Amino acid sequence: MSYRDEQGIHTDFKERMTYSDYLDLDAILNSQNRLSDHHDEMLFIVIHQVSELWIKLTLHELEAAVQSIQEEDYQPAFKMLARVSSIQNQIIKAWDVLSTMTPSEYLGFRDYLGNASGFQSYQYRLVEFALGYKTPHVLKIYEKDPELKARLQEAYEAPGLYDVAIQALAKEGFEIDQSVLERDLTETYEANDSVERAWIEVYRDPERYWNLYQLAEKLVDIEDWMQQWRFRHMKTVERIIGHKQGTGGSSGVGYLKQVLDHYFFPELWNVRTSL
């Protein structure tokens, strides 16, 4: 069947919304503004813009999942968290495309970036906050925009995904230390014995604690993908700029290697050894 045989296809859009209108494609496709005339700067911009769109969807899903878990409505939360893992896989694939850029090609336009750096991605910071990694010094980066700073501050002070998961353990009757349940949410989460004991019981009796068991595995999936993303990021940066300082002033590869050692949900990994 050819296009000409499709008699029902709409072709008159003078008074109708088109695909381009719905997606606001003109705005999106006119946002790749190169500062140099180097061919590969387009690749660099597109990869980072696409990643930011995926991160936007990640935040959309994480925020809804947190609310669902708080309401003990687990099934929608599981679907949202599974979707986050699929998104993470897509973002990781983007590094494979960016790694086709050689050091010489990147040097052809790197100076045009000035101090702009992926380190300044506020959406990525929101993801870290949602996963419980709270670093106060990064908030200073966003003082230029009071509205954005306020949004980050709100997320910085809000319970993250793991906080509501621990609250779910307490609601199920597990004895969780009050120091954890009432902890300062602006501090990065650290492992706690009472939380580990609770997760051990969940893993020992998954049929009894099926929702919590599924939740635990969804969290492990997300952290696993996050670590893979961080590793691919680090290796891509090392492949392109070696151990040079990042454009934003960070140590580059050194900083990226350091954050590889951080665990968002430490007890869920400790459980593997304890069981």
Side-chain angles (χ1 to χ4, degrees), residues 49-256:
Q49 288 183 341
V50 168
S51 294
E52 289 292 336
L53 285 172
W54 280 127
I55 295 172
K56 181 174 184 177
L57 182 56
T58 295
L59 288 168
H60 178 70
E61 301 297 338
L62 286 176
E63 289 165 4
V66 165
Q67 183 176 344
S68 290
I69 295 167
Q70 286 176 316
E71 296 170 356
E72 299 182 63
D73 190 10
Y74 290 106
Q75 294 307 314
F78 297 155
K79 176 65 179 290
M80 295 162 191
L81 296 177
R83 183 174 291 160
V84 168
S85 292
S86 294
I87 294 167
Q88 290 173 296
N89 186 29
Q90 291 298 314
I91 297 177
I92 291 169
K93 295 295 185 184
W95 293 122
D96 294 338
V97 182
L98 187 59
S99 66
T100 64
M101 181 185 296
T102 68
S104 298
E105 290 162 348
Y106 182 52
L107 287 173
F109 64 87
R110 187 179 193 241
D111 288 345
Y112 286 88
L113 301 180
N115 295 129
S117 165
F119 185 83
Q120 298 146 15
S121 168
Y122 71 85
Q123 289 201 125
Y124 181 73
R125 295 304 168 196
L126 288 170
V127 170
E128 285 191 329
F129 291 173
L131 298 181
Y133 186 53
K134 308 288 183 73
T135 47
H137 62 277
V138 302
L139 293 172
K140 296 178 181 179
I141 297 171
Y142 311 102
E143 290 178 349
K144 175 182 178 181
D145 186 337
E147 186 174 341
L148 175 57
K149 173 73 181 303
R151 181 184 174 190
L152 283 153
Q153 187 70 41
E154 182 180 3
Y156 181 70
E157 297 172 0
L161 181 61
Y162 200 43
D163 294 309
V164 297
I166 292 172
Q167 290 167 9
L169 289 170
K171 289 176 184 177
E172 188 64 29
F174 290 105
E175 293 186 7
I176 306 297
D177 292 345
Q178 285 300 116
S179 61
V180 175
L181 296 175
E182 299 174 0
R183 76 183 190 87
D184 182 353
L185 297 178
T186 65
E187 295 182 358
T188 296
Y189 180 79
E190 294 184 1
N192 174 270
D193 289 342
S194 69
V195 174
E196 184 172 335
R197 287 194 296 270
W199 285 126
I200 288 172
E201 289 306 309
V202 168
Y203 273 86
R204 282 179 173 161
D205 196 352
E207 291 186 5
R208 179 179 178 183
Y209 303 112
W210 184 245
N211 283 330
L212 292 173
Y213 179 70
Q214 288 188 88
L215 176 58
E217 284 299 288
K218 291 292 185 291
L219 296 181
V220 170
D221 287 342
I222 288 174
E223 175 139 33
D224 193 343
W225 283 115
M226 194 70 175
Q227 290 294 76
Q228 292 185 56
W229 183 91
R230 283 174 159 178
F231 179 78
R232 289 297 296 126
H233 184 190
M234 182 270 293
K235 294 307 291 185
T236 301
V237 170
E238 184 176 22
R239 176 173 178 155
I240 296 174
I241 70 168
H243 289 265
K244 292 187 184 72
Q245 186 180 61
T247 49
S250 75
S251 59
V253 169
Y255 169 79
L256 296 174

